[in-house]
Amino acid sequence: MSRVKASTPLRARNAAEQYDDLAGSWWQPRGPFAMLHWLAAERSKLIPAPRGSGAVLVDIACGGGSLAPHVPPGYRHVGVDLSRTAVRVAREHGVSVIQGDATALPLANGCADVVVAGEVLEHVLDLPRAVAEACRVLAPGGTLVVDTIAATALARVVAVTVGERVPGGPPRRLHDPQLFVDRAQLVRTCAEHGVDLRLHGLRPSVLAYLTWLLGLRDAGRIVRTRSTAVLFAAVGSKRPREVAAGARA
């Protein structure tokens, strides 16, 4: 249940190089990315069935491909990630991966039936740009799925002060609390790009976490909660072009 190897360099908070340092940990059930897999399982419940043959799901900051086992059949799973090692690992797990930045996606307008941005918005330096890009590649009528960390004092304590020190939590210094996401801003920015979001909270199941900690189960579980003050998810559909144009008029 080791957290980070002693040889892992001490990086600045939110340094992208951390993902390369921990490249061998993406699929360790008790490694530093364990909770990302629990989140991916819960995130997949927001993904609708494919609208037709050839449906495309774009997975922004796909990491090592943790969403891959949970993508509904019928989608082409296209991942984008900045980390070259994550790209390699995700490809090994069946994801069609492109190396790229969440704020400048190397994808065509409206190419995706579903866009997933899981645990990435709290890492980007330009939130409005990353949101605009996610909405740009989403086709009208398509679904945007997001989960991230709220910009609250409580989230700073839970996700950083406590979270970085417990098994299953994020590696030390992975997050910069200054980049946590303002929920109102996220909703507003998505609406400006034609996507109306609905939010709900997320938290680890206490029972599942304890049984995982004791080695009685292979994975923890993320469940919904009313409060969006720490972890939260958001889902919305992109309005048809004519409706979005009328909303801006």
Side-chain angles (χ1 to χ4, degrees), residues 1-224:
M1 218 178 268
S2 61
R3 301 284 291 138
V4 179
K5 293 180 180 179
S7 58
T8 301
L10 184 64
R11 304 284 190 183
R13 281 204 170 273
N14 199 51
E17 293 84 0
Q18 292 183 78
Y19 296 96
D20 293 326
D21 297 337
L22 298 168
S25 304
W26 279 111
W27 287 83
Q28 292 177 358
R30 299 183 179 278
F33 295 131
M35 193 172 291
L36 290 184
H37 290 268
W38 312 346
L39 283 160
E42 179 63 22
R43 181 183 310 135
S44 69
K45 297 175 184 178
L46 299 176
I47 300 171
R51 294 191 287 179
S53 60
V56 173
L57 181 149
V58 170
D59 187 358
I60 301 173
C62 64
S66 57
L67 185 63
H70 310 289
V71 173
Y75 281 107
R76 180 187 176 202
H77 184 186
V78 177
V80 180
D81 203 279
L82 195 60
S83 165
R84 58 179 177 78
T85 56
V87 165
R88 173 179 53 78
V89 175
R91 188 173 291 127
E92 291 171 354
H93 286 82
V95 186
S96 300
V97 198
I98 306 166
Q99 187 170 2
D101 193 316
T103 61
L105 296 172
L107 298 168
N109 295 349
C111 66
D113 298 274
V114 174
V115 172
V116 173
E119 299 306 305
V120 57
L121 295 183
E122 73 273 21
H123 294 288
V124 298
L125 301 181
D126 189 342
L127 178 66
R129 182 62 183 167
V131 171
E133 281 291 275
C135 294
R136 177 184 65 80
V137 301
L138 183 62
T143 301
L144 176 64
V145 176
V146 171
D147 50 81
T148 186
I149 304 176
T152 65
L154 180 61
R156 292 181 180 92
V157 173
V158 173
V160 177
T161 306
V162 176
E164 292 184 354
R165 290 166 173 79
V166 299
R172 296 289 297 271
R173 305 179 69 82
L174 191 71
H175 292 112
D176 179 353
Q178 297 300 316
L179 298 176
F180 287 176
V181 176
D182 183 298
R183 291 159 289 175
Q185 181 188 8
L186 176 63
V187 171
R188 184 170 59 250
T189 305
C190 282
E192 290 170 356
H193 293 282
V195 178
D196 300 311
L197 291 180
R198 305 182 304 277
L199 274 57
H200 62 266
L202 299 171
R203 64 167 177 82
S205 160
V206 175
L207 179 60
Y209 178 76
L210 290 175
T211 53
W212 172 81
L213 196 61
L214 293 170
L216 301 177
R217 59 185 295 157
D218 293 332
R221 186 164 61 93
I222 301 296
V223 296
R224 290 193 181 200

